[in-house]
Amino acid sequence: MIIILLGAPGSGKGTIAELIQKKHQIPIISSGEILRAEMNKRTEIGKKVSRFLLSGELVPDEIINSLIENKIKQLRYEQSVIIDGYPRNQNQAIALNKVWKSELIVFYLDLPKKTLVDRLLHRGRVDDTEKIIERRFEVYLNETQPLIDYYTRTDVLIKINEISSMEIFKKIETVL
Ligand code: AMP
């Protein structure tokens, strides 16, 4: 099974992924972490993607799709994986369907925007400035939000309305 965490910036996807990982020993693929690692190691990919991360834009689909495909191939003997931050648009969702054929479940973390912005401003990552946060929200609305409909249509989406990560995790547990 593939467990996808879908939600706006600051919704706690990374924290939830770690809670699920600890409880069930399921590996996490985090697209943001993968990209930040490439950036910090100053690899060729890192150099190509840094301007997207530092402006809040999505990195080009070809780059992220192939990074994620490689990770999934490395984890092909696992029964389940958690994915945090991918897919972020419909192209990526289609690419993912091609590399992972088994069951898919999408948890959509729906939190009020004010809570999200407050959290991000207190987190202090390099892309957590007011200007970049605003752009990341726009990109989320335009590119990622349509995936909610996409996954609702295929009947794999579960919406979670809690705010605290612990409450979100409890709801997820009742499903898993
Ligand atoms: P995150 O850690 O998920 O908040 O992602 C941080 C940044 O990495 C985003 O603002 C994008 O620039 C980039 N990024 C992460 N995941 C993706 C993705 N699936 N597609 C394109 N860009 C991504």
Side-chain angles (χ1 to χ4, degrees):
M1 179 171 64
I2 197 161
I3 301 166
I4 294 177
L5 300 174
L6 183 64
S11 55
K13 300 185 294 293
T15 306
I16 304 296
E18 283 173 14
L19 290 169
I20 302 172
Q21 177 184 49
K22 278 207 186 96
K23 179 84 188 276
H24 299 281
Q25 280 84 48
I26 304 175
I28 302 172
I29 298 174
S30 161
S31 54
E33 289 296 326
I34 293 171
L35 292 166
R36 280 187 290 277
E38 295 287 336
M39 228 167 85
N40 294 337
K41 283 188 277 177
R42 296 179 206 284
T43 61
E44 280 310 307
I45 291 174
K47 286 180 207 156
K48 274 192 206 151
V49 299
S50 63
R51 71 187 167 94
F52 297 98
L53 273 88
L54 296 176
S55 61
E57 303 296 331
L58 295 185
V59 312
D61 289 340
E62 319 78 86
I63 298 180
I64 190 70
N65 284 343
S66 95
L67 286 168
I68 297 290
E69 186 177 344
N70 287 342
K71 275 280 171 205
I72 287 179
K73 282 187 179 150
Q74 284 168 20
L75 296 173
R76 64 190 173 283
Y77 298 117
E78 298 285 340
Q79 274 193 345
S80 301
V81 295
I82 306 160
I83 308 190
D84 157 20
Y86 180 94
R88 285 276 233 277
N89 62 29
Q90 192 145 339
N91 262 337
Q92 296 180 11
I94 292 166
L96 178 63
N97 287 343
K98 289 187 185 145
V99 289
W100 187 282
K101 304 278 184 200
S102 84
E103 197 188 345
L104 189 132
I105 185 163
V106 181
F107 291 106
Y108 164 43
L109 317 183
D110 186 17
L111 287 82
K113 182 165 176 190
K114 189 177 175 319
T115 310
L116 301 171
V117 175
D118 282 350
R119 272 191 197 170
L120 292 172
L121 287 173
H122 288 96
R123 195 170 63 172
R125 223 166 66 186
V126 278
D127 57 345
D128 287 338
T129 67
E130 247 171 89
K131 188 164 160 246
I132 307 176
I133 289 173
E134 215 29 66
R135 183 61 195 144
R136 282 159 60 205
F137 274 103
E138 275 173 20
V139 169
Y140 173 76
L141 281 181
N142 297 336
E143 305 265 337
T144 311
Q145 193 116 290
L147 287 182
I148 295 165
D149 275 349
Y150 174 84
Y151 285 126
T152 302
R153 270 184 271 122
T154 49
D155 214 20
V156 292
L157 187 118
I158 294 169
K159 178 169 160 170
I160 301 194
N161 274 113
E162 301 295 337
I163 290 180
S164 92
S165 296
M166 226 39 234
E167 293 304 317
I168 295 173
F169 178 58
K170 274 191 204 157
K171 285 262 162 84
I172 289 179
E173 280 299 289
T174 62
V175 179
L176 294 180

